[in-house]
Amino acid sequence: MINILLIGSGGREHAFAKAFAQSEHCQQLFIMPGNAGTQAHGINVTIDVNQFDLVGDFCLQNKISLVVVGPEDPLVKGLRDFFMADPKLAGIAFVGPDRAGAQMEGSKDWSKQFMQKYGIPTAAYKTFTQYNLEEGLAYLENHSLPIVLKADGLAAGKGVLICNTVAEAQAELVEMIAAQKFGSASDKVVVEEFLQGIELSVFVLCDGKNYVLLPSAKDYKRIGEGDTGLNTGGMGAISPVPFADEVFMQKVESQIVAKTLLGLQAEHIHYVGFIFVGLMDVNGEPKVIEYNSRMGDPETEVVLPRIQNDMVELMMAAGTGKLNEVNLQIDARTAVTVMLVSKGYPEAFERGKVMSGLDEVAGSTLYHAGTKFSDAGEIVTNGGRVMAITSLGSSIQEALNQSRENAEKIQFENKYYRKDIGFEFL
Ligand code: AMP
Ligand code: GLY
């Protein structure tokens, strides 16, 4: 029996919290900061995760044996490095890469160079800064259309622009580099070839030497039905992805996952944690769009419910270099999650709307994404993405119907959700 600290506050963390709480190995679970849903499975802690010394003190005081980090931000800032540098903390099993490993997500330029160096299939690219901006503008003149521009650093999911004309791309390149459209995140800009295909994600859990491949998933990023409108953090997800059959997944594993792990080792990066590989299926050939150094949200809400292993055992195996001893057991059913959001999201939206009907939900699992308890003790909305509703079924349609039925039972002012998650496979 161990004490666990889980870092983060979204639906992803609620899914981890629920899985940890179900384990016979979990003595006490702390979630930092958590939400109204995670509180049912452990104790929410309001320490600011960026104050690494306070996080470390908390772990010592509460005899934490396992730390699992949900979001990328503390990883890119070096939370793992802080733990490994302190002899009192270094013995804690820590699932989340160090600063060097988190560059996979934290720097698009670094990850493109990495892919090129290790022969990992990805879109052709070139990187520009203020020092070669003129060259960049000239380079765009002869580029195929559309043109993809990516801010090098973290830009809260907004740093990718797809431009349909050379003039638009040139104007945006200047905006990004010279006018700092995304702050210092766009000091460097990756200019990339547009890949035509269908997107999916695969997730890899690594222990520094060994890895296990987790189920595939596909998220639905656009706010509107039929994949229209603005990009969001994700309006829903499915797992598995129908076209990610054995042949395709074999290619993913041999051409991408195995080479990525070899590359990390060659770079002397001891990668412990999740790698989220965003892929494009280009006529049956997988190509990497991006790496993230964490699990996806809402992908976690469909991937975790399909993993039948004890989640504490799995995380401890990752954190202690023993993933070679793990035999992953996956539920063959299909999972669909539907995200309830606040009207207006991903732009301005209101918070603090009282939620009701949660007790009437049956046959689905609720993962709170943006909720909190009001002073009066009611559950209220506290984010753009409010609640993920996950169902398992023998088909996408069956699981989707179940989630939609339950989506109708939950009430709050300005509720919106997509009814067509998985639509292209129905
Ligand atoms: P990213 O932040 O790298 O995930 O990019 C956001 C989205 O932009 C991706 O999910 C894709 O839909 C799209 N995207 C990124 N790179 C490319 C590319 N090279 N070709 C086509 N679409 C892309
Ligand atoms: N759902 C996409 C992400 O977590 O980045």
Side-chain angles (χ1 to χ4, degrees):
M1 296 281 274
I2 60 168
N3 293 347
I4 302 169
L5 174 64
L6 170 64
I7 292 174
S9 66
R12 168 181 54 205
E13 286 74 20
H14 190 181
F16 274 105
K18 188 172 163 61
F20 290 156
Q22 282 169 353
S23 166
E24 59 185 49
H25 303 291
C26 181
Q27 174 99 35
Q28 258 196 318
L29 172 64
F30 299 94
I31 311 96
M32 192 181 282
N35 61 36
T38 61
Q39 198 151 312
H41 308 296
I43 299 168
N44 288 348
V45 180
T46 52
I47 292 172
D48 174 8
V49 67
N50 290 310
Q51 301 206 274
F52 292 175
D53 50 344
L54 298 185
V55 180
D57 289 347
F58 179 88
C59 287
L60 294 176
Q61 280 157 15
N62 293 283
K63 301 192 164 50
I64 299 293
S65 302
L66 170 65
V67 174
V68 177
V69 183
E72 66 281 11
D73 203 45
L75 299 170
V76 172
K77 288 183 173 138
L79 184 59
R80 182 191 182 85
D81 308 68
F82 178 87
F83 271 64
M84 294 308 137
D86 183 336
K88 295 194 297 297
L89 298 173
I92 298 175
F94 190 110
V95 179
D98 62 8
R99 197 189 280 127
Q103 284 185 106
M104 296 196 96
E105 174 161 8
S107 170
K108 305 250 186 218
D109 178 48
W110 187 90
S111 67
K112 293 298 286 192
Q113 285 187 46
F114 174 86
M115 285 185 260
Q116 202 163 52
K117 186 165 173 187
Y118 296 101
I120 297 162
T122 187
Y125 84 106
K126 234 173 137 58
T127 299
F128 299 98
T129 66
Q130 58 168 316
Y131 302 107
N132 61 353
L133 180 53
E134 287 303 320
E135 191 190 315
L137 295 173
Y139 176 78
L140 290 173
E141 291 284 350
N142 300 313
H143 201 288
S144 58
L145 294 174
I147 303 171
V148 183
L149 302 184
K150 297 185 172 182
D152 173 59
L154 295 181
K158 299 195 165 64
V160 176
L161 302 176
I162 296 175
C163 302
N164 289 311
T165 65
V166 168
E168 184 190 348
Q170 288 176 326
E172 289 290 358
L173 189 67
V174 171
E175 273 289 300
M176 289 171 87
I177 292 175
Q180 296 209 301
K181 178 168 182 155
F182 300 106
S184 58
S186 60
D187 283 351
K188 275 188 202 170
V189 174
V190 169
V191 175
E192 193 173 280
E193 162 202 16
F194 183 84
L195 298 175
Q196 194 78 51
I198 179 158
E199 278 185 74
L200 75 158
S201 302
V202 300
F203 302 91
V204 190
L205 178 61
C206 311
D207 70 4
K209 314 185 282 284
N210 313 288
Y211 70 88
V212 290
L213 201 55
L214 306 180
S216 63
K218 182 174 197 312
D219 81 336
Y220 292 79
K221 288 199 175 93
R222 303 295 197 93
I223 189 72
E225 298 196 347
D227 285 344
T228 53
L230 293 174
N231 257 322
T232 71
M235 295 296 293
I238 60 167
S239 176
V241 182
F243 63 84
D245 56 15
E246 209 163 312
V247 174
F248 185 82
M249 290 304 286
Q250 289 267 305
K251 288 185 190 172
V252 171
E253 187 156 9
S254 63
Q255 295 171 18
I256 293 169
V257 176
K259 286 185 186 177
T260 299
L261 272 291
L262 283 175
L264 288 169
Q265 276 167 16
E267 298 292 318
H268 303 291
I269 293 172
H270 184 75
Y271 197 104
V272 180
F274 295 96
I275 305 178
F276 163 160
V277 191
L279 295 171
M280 192 75 86
D281 173 350
V282 183
N283 300 322
E285 299 303 320
K287 295 196 179 200
V288 178
I289 291 184
E290 62 163 354
Y291 291 117
N292 294 304
S293 51
R294 54 175 173 84
M295 281 297 289
D297 191 350
E299 292 92 330
T300 304
E301 292 94 302
V302 288
V303 170
L304 253 51
R306 297 188 57 225
I307 299 177
Q308 295 168 323
N309 301 58
D310 180 299
M311 197 50 63
V312 174
E313 284 178 17
L314 188 60
M315 291 300 105
M316 281 304 283
T320 58
K322 293 190 178 131
L323 277 180
N324 55 320
E325 295 172 12
V326 166
N327 185 6
L328 208 60
Q329 301 292 330
I330 304 299
D331 190 325
R333 287 177 296 171
T334 292
V336 173
T337 200
V338 170
M339 189 67 82
L340 304 184
V341 306
S342 306
K343 197 173 114 208
Y345 174 76
E347 298 184 291
F349 59 86
E350 293 171 15
R351 292 170 201 259
K353 305 296 182 192
V354 176
M355 302 184 67
S356 62
L358 303 187
D359 294 338
E360 288 164 38
V361 169
S364 298
T365 306
L366 298 182
Y367 297 117
H368 292 231
T371 65
K372 66 170 190 179
F373 285 105
S374 69
D375 292 340
E378 293 164 313
I379 295 178
V380 298
T381 65
N382 191 39
R385 293 196 293 175
V386 175
M387 177 96 52
I389 306 175
T390 299
S391 309
L392 288 159
S394 59
S395 65
I396 293 176
Q397 187 74 66
E398 189 183 303
L400 175 65
N401 288 349
Q402 186 70 30
S403 285
R404 282 182 56 175
E405 200 174 295
N406 284 315
E408 282 307 307
K409 294 180 185 160
I410 298 174
Q411 307 296 335
F412 61 91
E413 201 185 318
N414 293 342
K415 176 183 80 177
Y416 168 75
Y417 65 97
R418 273 181 66 170
K419 299 185 173 69
D420 69 338
I421 300 304
F423 71 96
E424 69 274 62
F425 306 114
L426 295 179

